[in-house]
């Protein structure tokens, strides 16, 4: 009787293990919404800890970026390996419990043969054939899901990186928001920015909120150019919008305000998913990570590049801080969590105004100068 109970327990535990993997695979690969799956989170954390051993903060950023670029592919492979192993163990328990004459060694042979569809083992009498077929189908399905998942990931990655690279043309490798506004003014494209630029990034933020929570591994895919990063791009665009509203003495549309609103919502969605602590209702007077000195230098850089700056700098600083407080905590913590490049605000003391001679104004106001003080 005790032996029968053991086999029944083995079958139940085996079924639960298989269902655990299927639940993780469905919610990761097929469910089109954010879902916290503990099994894949555990796998991701283990992989992350291994890679963090070779990408310590004390090392140069370029080395860390090179190491961390390999983390997402290895994480996907780890998903597949762990899931298949758990399914293998689950069916070993099922095979062993299904027939009294089946030994552990035989159960392992039959489970491995069925899972990888090798066919070298014939099920012992008493083991239903549909169990063997079920394991073979599950093994093939898990492999097929990973293969079909990759094009979806890379399509979303390319869509994200297209806008990141496009922004780098305006900001240069530094990703400085004040520089982008200076280039826009010099090339006469500030009005175009108010009518088109912010709309593009509003759409980008909406897409990020959806794709980076339903396909969470996307958050860890790094840009082809080590100097770029999607978190850095988000910070630059939001800071551009805040500076445009608060400091630039030119009429504008509601575009920058809507961009900040959408960007803040997207970042809060990600913050809730990754449990990044933040104030869901910050007040304009709350402190931010930037100082008045940072803001004054940015205004001076723009002013020396010819951008008209508002006369009342005190009011401008209050307005800028009031806009940035909406996303300040999340963007700075996310930059650390996803190991983005150093912020351009960190080196603003060494910033130089834009050389207008290198940015000729094109017909229609399009920017033709690159963002690194060199013509295209």
């Amino acid at each position: 009787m005790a032996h029968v109970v053991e086999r029944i327990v083995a079958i139940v535990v085996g079924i639960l293990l298989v269902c655990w993997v299927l639940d993780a695979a469905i919610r990761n690969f097929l469910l089109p919404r954010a879902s916290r799956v503990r099994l894949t989170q555990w796998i991701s954390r283990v992989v992350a800890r291994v890679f963090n051993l070779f990408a310590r903060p004390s090392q140069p950023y370029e080395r860390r970026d090179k190491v961390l670029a390999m983390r997402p592919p290895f994480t996907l492979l780890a998903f597949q390996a762990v899931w298949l192993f758990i399914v293998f163990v689950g069916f070993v328990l099922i095979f062993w419990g299904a027939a009294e004459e089946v030994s552990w060694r035989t159960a392992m042979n039959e489970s491995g043969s069925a899972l990888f569809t090798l066919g070298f083992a014939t099920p012992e009498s008493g083991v239903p054939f549909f169990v063997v077929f079920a394991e073979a189908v599950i093994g093939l399905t898990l492999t097929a899901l990973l293969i079909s998942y990759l094009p979806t990931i890379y399509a979303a990655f390319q869509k994200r990186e297209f806008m990141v690279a496009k922004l780098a043309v305006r900001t240069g490798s530094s990703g400085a928001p004040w520089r982008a506004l200076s280039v826009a003014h010099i090339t006469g494209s500030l009005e175009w920015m108010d009518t088109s630029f912010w709309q593009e990034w509003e759409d980008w933020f909406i897409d990020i909120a959806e794709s980076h929570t339903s396909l969470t591994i996307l958050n860890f895919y790094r840009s082809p150019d080590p100097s770029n990063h999607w978190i850095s791009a988000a910070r630059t665009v939001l800071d551009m919008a805040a500076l445009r509203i608060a400091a630039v003495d030119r009429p504008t549309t509601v575009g920058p305000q809507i961009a900040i609103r959408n960007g803040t919502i997207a970042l809060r969605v990600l913050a809730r998913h990754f449990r990044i602590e933040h104030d869901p209702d910050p007040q304009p007077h709350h402190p931010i990570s930037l100082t008045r000195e940072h803001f004054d230098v940015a205004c001076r850089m723009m002013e020396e590049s010819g951008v008209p700056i508002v006369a009342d700098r005190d009011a401008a600083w209050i307005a800028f801080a009031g806009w940035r407080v909406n996303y300040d905590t999340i963007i700075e913590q996310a930059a650390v969590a996803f190991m983005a490049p150093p912020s351009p605000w960190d080196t603003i003391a060494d910033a130089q105004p834009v050389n207008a001679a290198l940015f000729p104004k094109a017909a229609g106001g399009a920017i033709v100068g690159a963002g690194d003080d060199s013509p295209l």
Side-chain angles (χ1 to χ4, degrees):
M1 183 64 182
H3 194 61
V4 173
V5 172
E6 289 178 358
R7 291 184 178 273
I8 292 175
V9 170
I11 292 174
V12 172
V13 172
I15 292 174
L16 291 176
L17 287 175
V18 173
C19 290
W20 188 30
V21 170
L22 291 177
D23 172 72
I26 290 171
R27 289 202 284 158
N28 273 276
F29 291 164
L30 299 178
L31 187 65
R33 61 167 59 185
S35 181
R36 298 180 64 85
V37 184
R38 289 191 177 182
L39 177 57
T40 51
Q41 286 180 338
W42 291 339
I43 299 170
S44 298
R45 287 169 185 167
V46 171
V47 175
R49 288 175 181 175
V50 172
F51 273 86
N52 288 342
L53 293 175
F54 301 95
R56 297 183 182 277
S58 58
Q59 295 178 339
Y61 172 76
E62 292 75 13
R63 174 178 170 78
R64 293 164 57 207
D65 177 79
K66 187 179 296 185
V67 172
L68 293 173
M70 297 299 295
R71 176 182 164 183
F74 272 92
T75 302
L76 286 175
L77 292 176
F79 287 166
Q80 191 76 352
V82 174
W83 289 350
L84 289 176
F85 176 75
I86 293 175
V87 170
F88 167 77
V89 172
F91 274 96
V92 166
L93 293 172
I94 294 172
F95 284 140
W96 180 80
E100 187 174 350
E101 62 273 19
V102 175
S103 65
W104 286 111
R105 181 181 181 84
T106 301
M108 287 189 287
N109 285 337
E110 293 180 2
S111 181
S113 174
L115 179 62
F116 299 105
T117 63
L118 299 176
F120 61 80
T122 303
E124 297 286 345
S125 60
V127 178
F129 270 92
F130 78 86
V131 177
V132 180
F133 298 153
E135 184 176 12
V137 169
I138 290 173
L140 290 173
T141 300
L142 291 176
T143 303
L145 281 177
L146 178 61
I147 294 173
S148 61
Y149 186 63
L150 292 177
T152 303
I153 293 177
Y154 285 104
F157 172 77
Q158 290 174 348
K159 186 176 181 180
R160 182 191 78 185
E161 291 302 311
F162 172 79
M163 292 296 293
V164 173
K166 192 174 180 180
L167 179 68
V169 174
R170 295 174 173 84
T171 63
S173 59
S174 65
W178 57 88
R179 179 184 182 81
L181 291 172
S182 298
V183 172
H185 171 74
I186 291 169
T187 57
S189 58
L190 200 58
E191 292 182 0
W192 165 84
M193 179 178 286
D194 288 339
T195 57
S196 300
F197 178 84
W198 306 117
Q199 178 64 51
E200 292 179 354
W201 284 92
E202 177 186 348
D203 296 341
W204 186 82
F205 280 120
I206 293 173
D207 183 69
I208 287 290
E210 189 280 325
S211 62
H212 284 55
T213 52
S214 59
L215 305 172
T216 53
I217 199 166
L218 267 176
N219 294 276
F220 303 98
Y221 272 90
R222 306 183 71 81
S223 297
D225 184 347
S227 63
N228 294 338
H229 194 282
W230 68 276
I231 284 290
S232 298
R235 175 171 52 198
T236 296
V237 170
L238 292 172
D239 285 344
M240 285 173 61
L243 286 170
R244 177 69 180 90
I245 297 168
V248 179
D249 192 15
R250 287 277 296 274
T252 184
T253 64
V254 296
Q257 300 178 29
I258 295 176
I260 292 177
R261 174 65 176 166
N262 276 315
T264 300
I265 291 174
L267 290 173
R268 287 178 181 175
V269 169
L270 288 171
R272 287 193 296 270
H273 186 78
F274 288 98
R275 297 181 179 177
I276 297 176
E277 293 185 5
H278 65 285
D279 186 350
D281 186 27
Q283 300 302 309
H285 62 275
H286 287 175
I288 62 175
S289 60
L290 303 182
T291 65
R292 173 66 185 271
E293 288 72 23
H294 288 111
F295 177 75
D296 286 340
V297 174
C299 288
R300 188 177 75 247
M301 291 297 101
M302 291 190 291
E303 192 171 37
E304 292 181 7
S305 300
V307 181
I309 302 298
V310 297
D312 190 346
R313 296 290 176 85
D314 292 334
W317 161 247
I318 293 173
F320 174 78
W323 283 107
R324 201 181 203 270
V325 75
N326 291 287
Y327 58 88
D328 179 84
T329 300
I330 301 175
I331 201 70
E332 297 303 332
Q333 289 191 63
V336 174
F338 300 123
M339 292 193 182
S343 170
W345 294 101
D346 294 341
T347 56
I348 193 172
D350 301 324
Q352 297 295 325
V354 176
N355 186 349
L358 298 176
F359 292 86
K361 187 181 296 185
I367 295 176
V368 298
D372 290 315
D373 278 346
S374 60
L376 287 176

